[in-house]
Amino acid sequence: MTDPVPRSAKSVKSRLDTIHQSDDFGKKAGNVSKVQSHFLVQSDKLDKVTRRVIAPYAQIERKGLKEDEAKEGTYLDINKFNVFLEDTVDLDSLLYETANVLKAVTNSSGVFVYIVNKINNEIVLMTQNTKNPDRHEVNIPIEEGKMAAAHVAATKEYLLIEDVQHDSRFAEGLKWVDAKVALCMPVIKPDGDCYAVLELYRSNAEPYDQNIVYTVVSVACWAGAAVHQAQARITLERSAHLNQELRALLQNYFCDLASIDTMLTDMLAVVKSFVGAMRSSFFIIDRDNVGDNLLADMWDDGWGSEKSTIPKKKIKVNLSQEQTPAGLVAKTGESLNVRDAYKDPRFSKEIDPTTGTVVRSCLVSPIIDKKGVIGVVQLTNKINAQPFDSEDEVIFQVFINYCSLIVHFYNMQQSKIYHENLNKVLAELMKLHLSPCRHDMDEIIETNAMMIPPNNFKSYDYHISEGSKEDMPGLVCYMYIETFADVHFERHNLADFALTILQCYRDNPYHNAEHAFCFTHTMYLILINNCGYFDFVETAALMLAGLCHDLDHPGYNNNFLSLCKHPLAQMYKSSILEYHHYFLAKKIIEDKNLLGMLSTADRDRILQEMKYNILCTDLAVYFQVRAQLTPLLAECSFDWADNSHRRLLKGILMTTSDLSGTCKPFGVSKAIAESVYEEFYNQGDQEREMGYTPLSMMDRRRSANQPAEQIQFLSVVVLPCLLLLQNIFPNTSQLTDNCRKTQEAWHEEIEIRGQKLWRQDDSIPNTRSRVVLKNVD
């Protein structure tokens, strides 16, 4: 059997080395050498001992299982949209002028221009007065074999008729004139759609030659490309302008400068103006509804003729009761363009029951996230009585993209309101359960929150384990009154606070109420032995932070919370537990009205000081504080008047009090160390179950290394902290002396363990040695 803690191992310093190290540091107490913080040194330059000691407290990357994969804005002015919509190109007029140019170039007697209406599947004859809004339209169905222009629109191929009157394919001739020769040319866009048909004719019998045909084909191709580019430009400009205005509205909404009602009403007015619809409606699906009914909140901006901008919201509408376009889209999740609702068998009524609108045509689109339909937007009836076309669908889709943001933000607001109220309910429940036992309160109040402490209470050797843990609340009140709470604090509130805080500690092996009391007691002794250095607010903050510094500690460190993605790790990016401790401390102080007799300025300052003090108990912060304070003391430049220097000292005070369990007599110190290891081993067991390899100090299988690890921890972390404090407050030297004694005791522990171990090698004879037998005469 081998020695589990070999004395020759490099990780274990000899007793003399450790003592000499401490003595060397102590000799420089008057002029502290510059000590670089371990957290500011590259990890590859740290020795193995230091890395191992600070590992449980550093932010480290663990190897193991892979993870599973307020300026108010300007609101909308609808009038500027009307100006923009009028600033468009009249393509039909340009096409008619182009046709007249071809008429002259080709020496034709005349020309007809037909515009293709894809929705009604017909061509519309343009009159010469294209600017007359009341012109009479002549509509011809698109089909083959009856009229030449309709035939060309159907086949999308040009047609050269050399004898119109005797062509059997088109019995009606050109219908409008008595022509002898005709050339019908389709205007085809690059996407393959036929936009128009040009019909050139001659009253004489001279036929069109191939040069003329080539010219007309070329011009028609360029006209198709020009139409396509002009339409795309207009659509892009309208989309860009719509994007700009919607972003302005959303900015007001997201900055809480506009309500959901106002913002939606303005946005619906925008899209209604852009598309030219008479009515627009917005539905947000209620996912929390229980049952088969599809309920939704609906916003409706009214008819285009209505001048009111008051948002019109129905509390709830049932999209599953009637066969409506919005209800169908909500169920199927597919967009819908109804060109003629009267002829569509999917809708049973002419009047939409949800909007009260007579629906001729509508454009409806769902708002979808990864879980399905979360909303629906509907535009109803175009002002020009035409169905919604493909350009309207493009513009509408731009609006829908913004609508998804609106619905998500609206749902987030509703969730926020719900959870804010839930937090109030839970806070009331927590307040009820945090109320201390009436009998405990009565017992403290009987003594006016004062208790006679034990004889050795003002010694650093004292520990609550020497007496009764039931005395802790009374002794906490005693320490508070002695240091800061003699005036401006009600004894009843003080007792209530002390009892509540102590019962908020979990029953952990180490991070429990007993540890909080030990911390507070050490802080109390340092402060009463060094009066006058800190003012009332600083003293109160240090004492309150001492008792509250580990509130609701779960028994795991910050690294583990990050590793298992604990909710606290999602709330705070650094010093996870320390922020949680402060949050609870602040809430209990406010609930108990502990600082009610102080001025607002003092209350705020105490809470700010407490937050800093509690965050300093994170050893990751301690190493940073130590690195800043050490050169100040080494250069004798520490200035009590400098607030930043005082803050560094308060950070060292917090760390000293937190680690003061190592400065008790060895029997107490050893028991405290064993409780620390029990928590560490519990965490290591959890990490092993998760597939990670625990750190050495947290590995139950390496428990034999405890004495060596304690010596290393005292050397690397505790003694440097104590010596810094001793340099400022020499009367704290008892803490340093006790720490050295603890180091010595751990060395003796190693020696005792080594002596008690039976070594098998010592009992086995050396078979290689030669045995010499003497002859006996």
Side-chain angles (χ1 to χ4, degrees):
M1 181 180 296
T2 58
D3 188 348
V5 189
R7 297 180 212 172
S8 60
K10 295 181 179 179
S11 60
V12 181
K13 296 185 178 180
S14 70
R15 184 192 318 179
L16 291 178
D17 290 340
T18 305
I19 294 175
H20 290 162
Q21 176 192 4
S22 303
D23 289 342
D24 291 341
F25 201 100
K27 290 177 183 178
K28 299 177 181 178
N31 186 19
V32 182
S33 62
K34 297 181 181 179
V35 179
Q36 183 69 297
S37 169
H38 293 303
F39 275 60
L40 303 180
V41 179
Q42 296 179 4
S43 60
D44 56 351
K45 294 183 179 180
L46 291 174
D47 60 81
K48 294 182 179 180
V49 174
T50 302
R51 285 203 300 270
R52 181 161 54 249
V53 170
I54 68 175
Y57 315 101
Q59 297 296 328
I60 58 177
E61 181 179 355
R62 302 296 301 275
K63 296 180 179 180
L65 298 179
K66 295 183 179 179
E67 297 182 1
D68 303 331
E69 300 292 320
K71 181 179 178 181
E72 185 172 356
T74 304
Y75 283 91
L76 176 66
D77 182 6
I78 294 297
N79 293 329
K80 61 185 175 183
F81 291 106
N82 299 329
V83 175
F84 173 79
L85 293 174
E86 293 172 359
D87 186 21
T88 58
V89 178
D90 190 344
L91 295 176
D92 294 347
S93 298
L94 292 178
L95 187 61
Y96 195 85
E97 293 175 6
T98 301
N100 284 324
V101 171
L102 283 176
K103 169 189 170 184
V105 170
T106 60
N107 195 26
S108 298
S109 303
V111 64
F112 293 112
V113 179
Y114 301 89
I115 302 298
V116 174
N117 186 335
K118 289 179 59 180
I119 297 175
N120 297 330
N121 195 37
E122 59 187 15
I123 56 176
V124 181
L125 176 64
M126 292 183 60
T127 62
Q128 293 183 359
N129 186 11
T130 59
K131 296 183 179 182
N132 181 11
D134 299 325
R135 65 177 182 260
H136 177 67
E137 290 186 350
V138 178
N139 305 320
I140 304 169
I142 296 177
E143 54 186 347
E144 300 181 27
K146 288 189 176 181
M147 281 195 62
H151 180 88
V152 169
T155 61
K156 300 180 183 180
E157 296 179 356
Y158 77 89
L159 189 63
L160 180 59
I161 306 176
E162 297 181 352
D163 189 351
V164 175
Q165 296 178 353
H166 296 89
D167 194 316
S168 59
R169 295 174 299 173
F170 310 106
E172 299 181 7
L174 295 191
K175 193 172 185 178
W176 316 115
V177 294
D178 184 15
K180 306 294 185 184
V181 181
L183 175 61
C184 290
M185 184 65 60
V187 177
I188 306 297
K189 298 192 296 181
D191 58 8
D193 287 341
C194 181
Y195 179 76
V197 176
L198 305 180
E199 190 176 59
L200 296 164
Y201 65 90
R202 288 176 177 175
S203 299
N204 55 52
E206 181 183 359
Y208 292 106
D209 58 24
Q210 290 301 316
N211 291 331
I212 291 178
V213 172
Y214 178 79
T215 300
V216 176
V217 168
S218 301
V219 172
C221 289
W222 281 106
V227 167
H228 179 77
Q229 292 297 326
Q231 289 178 334
R233 180 188 65 81
I234 293 172
T235 302
L236 287 174
E237 288 181 353
R238 293 175 67 192
S239 299
H241 197 56
L242 179 60
N243 267 308
Q244 179 181 355
E245 297 304 323
L246 293 179
R247 283 198 303 268
L249 289 174
L250 284 179
Q251 182 178 9
N252 288 323
Y253 177 48
F254 290 155
C255 295
D256 291 331
L257 299 178
S259 66
I260 181 73
D261 294 339
T262 302
M263 191 272 309
L264 278 179
T265 301
D266 283 350
M267 290 190 71
L268 289 173
V270 169
V271 71
K272 186 174 71 172
S273 177
F274 265 86
V275 178
M278 297 182 66
R279 199 179 191 103
S280 53
S281 306
F282 196 102
F283 304 85
I284 296 181
I285 305 298
D286 181 8
R287 283 183 170 174
D288 296 329
N289 175 58
V290 178
D292 297 331
N293 290 329
L294 193 61
L295 302 182
D297 293 327
M298 188 195 84
W299 285 262
D300 186 25
D301 76 325
W303 292 103
S305 59
E306 296 179 4
K307 303 298 182 182
S308 173
T309 59
I310 300 176
K312 302 172 183 178
K313 177 189 174 185
K314 292 182 179 179
I315 301 301
K316 288 289 181 186
V317 293
N318 192 341
L319 295 178
S320 57
Q321 273 188 346
E322 304 290 345
Q323 293 180 340
T324 62
L328 180 62
V329 170
K331 294 174 185 176
T332 63
E334 298 179 358
S335 299
L336 191 64
N337 188 349
V338 181
R339 304 185 185 280
D340 190 346
Y342 289 96
K343 298 179 180 179
D344 198 315
R346 295 173 293 182
F347 312 114
S348 58
K349 293 187 177 181
E350 298 176 356
I351 298 179
D352 187 338
T354 58
T355 62
T357 308
V358 177
V359 179
R360 295 191 302 271
S361 61
C362 63
L363 190 59
V364 194
S365 181
I367 305 169
I368 300 176
D369 68 359
K370 60 182 180 182
K371 295 183 179 179
V373 179
I374 58 177
V376 176
V377 184
Q378 175 175 332
L379 299 180
T380 306
N381 299 346
K382 292 197 70 171
I383 296 175
N384 59 8
Q386 295 295 318
F388 295 95
D389 56 26
S390 58
E391 183 181 350
D392 296 331
E393 293 178 1
V394 173
I395 298 297
F396 192 46
Q397 191 57 48
V398 173
F399 178 71
I400 295 301
N401 293 335
Y402 283 94
C403 290
S404 61
L405 294 176
I406 296 170
V407 176
H408 277 294
F409 193 77
Y410 173 77
N411 290 334
M412 288 173 57
Q413 282 188 321
Q414 299 304 305
S415 178
K416 176 186 174 185
I417 293 172
Y418 170 79
H419 284 94
E420 284 177 348
N421 288 283
L422 177 61
N423 285 337
K424 292 179 182 178
V425 173
L426 295 178
E428 289 294 325
L429 181 63
M430 186 176 76
K431 185 177 180 181
L432 173 65
H433 287 278
L434 287 181
S435 299
C437 174
R438 180 171 57 85
H439 299 90
D440 293 338
M441 276 292 298
D442 293 342
E443 186 176 343
I444 293 184
I445 295 302
E446 285 178 3
T447 62
N448 197 22
M450 287 295 288
M451 185 176 185
I452 300 176
N455 294 331
N456 64 337
F457 190 70
K458 294 190 177 181
S459 168
Y460 289 111
D461 290 344
Y462 172 80
H463 192 261
I464 190 61
S465 58
E466 298 176 6
S468 174
K469 295 182 180 180
E470 296 178 355
D471 296 335
M472 285 195 298
L475 291 174
V476 167
C477 292
Y478 170 81
M479 290 187 288
Y480 277 6
I481 293 172
E482 285 281 296
T483 51
F484 70 92
D486 190 24
V487 293
H488 304 309
F489 284 84
E490 294 182 356
R491 299 291 177 92
H492 183 277
N493 288 352
L494 200 64
D496 190 6
F497 173 77
L499 285 167
T500 301
I501 293 295
L502 290 173
Q503 76 177 21
C504 282
Y505 278 87
R506 302 189 189 185
D507 190 21
N508 295 320
Y510 173 69
H511 289 101
N512 49 37
E514 182 178 318
H515 167 66
F517 180 87
C518 178
F519 184 118
T520 308
H521 177 253
T522 302
M523 181 67 73
Y524 157 75
L525 293 180
I526 296 173
L527 292 177
I528 64 171
N529 291 327
N530 298 277
C531 298
Y533 289 97
F534 299 106
D535 61 22
F536 161 75
V537 168
E538 291 173 309
T539 303
L542 285 169
M543 291 297 291
L544 291 172
L547 190 66
C548 302
H549 80 284
D550 272 335
L551 267 179
D552 191 43
H553 197 292
Y556 303 102
N557 65 13
N558 287 331
N559 283 328
F560 182 80
L561 297 184
S562 298
L563 197 65
C564 66
K565 295 182 172 30
H566 191 278
L568 287 175
Q570 312 302 317
M571 296 169 60
Y572 308 111
K573 301 303 181 184
S574 62
S575 300
I576 299 168
L577 284 172
E578 288 71 25
Y579 274 107
H580 178 57
H581 303 326
Y582 169 72
F583 168 78
L584 290 180
K586 179 174 180 290
K587 176 167 182 55
I588 294 174
I589 287 174
E590 293 173 347
D591 288 348
K592 303 298 182 182
N593 196 28
L594 182 66
L595 309 179
M597 297 179 64
L598 302 179
S599 66
T600 302
D602 283 346
R603 289 200 301 266
D604 293 343
R605 190 178 159 209
I606 286 176
L607 291 175
Q608 290 175 359
E609 290 270 336
M610 279 187 63
K611 182 177 181 180
Y612 170 78
N613 293 340
I614 292 177
L615 290 179
C616 283
T617 60
D618 183 354
L619 282 186
V621 177
Y622 154 70
F623 285 114
Q624 299 171 18
V625 170
R626 193 175 89 180
Q628 297 176 57
L629 182 60
T630 299
L632 294 177
L633 299 180
E635 298 167 3
C636 299
S637 57
F638 182 84
D639 185 1
W640 280 99
D642 191 324
N643 188 53
S644 63
H645 293 188
R646 297 168 69 91
R647 284 170 64 85
L648 293 175
L649 174 58
K650 284 179 279 190
I652 294 299
L653 273 174
M654 294 297 293
T655 303
T656 298
S657 301
D658 202 11
L659 304 177
S660 60
T662 61
C663 304
K664 301 298 180 183
F666 184 65
V668 175
S669 177
K670 183 179 180 182
I672 292 175
E674 289 173 350
S675 64
V676 171
Y677 274 106
E678 187 56 35
E679 273 194 23
F680 277 1
Y681 293 155
N682 289 339
Q683 176 175 321
D685 295 342
Q686 293 290 327
E687 291 180 357
R688 197 179 298 280
E689 289 183 6
M690 295 167 60
Y692 294 92
T693 300
L695 297 172
S696 175
M697 294 180 68
M698 297 183 174
D699 193 343
R700 194 180 298 274
R701 302 172 184 177
R702 303 182 183 183
S703 60
N705 294 334
Q706 287 183 12
E709 289 170 347
Q710 280 300 295
I711 292 172
Q712 296 160 9
F713 181 74
L714 294 174
S715 300
V716 173
V717 179
V718 182
L719 266 175
C721 179
L722 296 176
L723 290 170
L724 284 176
L725 182 63
Q726 183 180 333
N727 184 266
I728 300 176
F729 295 141
N731 55 16
T732 61
S733 59
Q734 184 185 353
L735 292 170
T736 307
D737 295 340
N738 286 354
C739 183
R740 288 192 176 121
K741 292 177 182 178
T742 301
Q743 272 188 322
E744 176 72 13
W746 281 117
H747 276 294
E748 294 176 357
E749 185 81 9
I750 293 177
E751 292 180 357
I752 293 172
R753 292 189 181 191
Q755 291 172 2
K756 290 182 179 180
L757 288 174
W758 172 68
R759 299 171 182 252
Q760 185 178 13
D761 294 341
D762 296 339
S763 303
I764 300 177
N766 190 349
T767 56
R768 295 184 181 180
S769 62
R770 297 179 61 185
V771 179
V772 179
L773 300 176
K774 293 183 180 181
N775 294 325
V776 180
D777 295 336

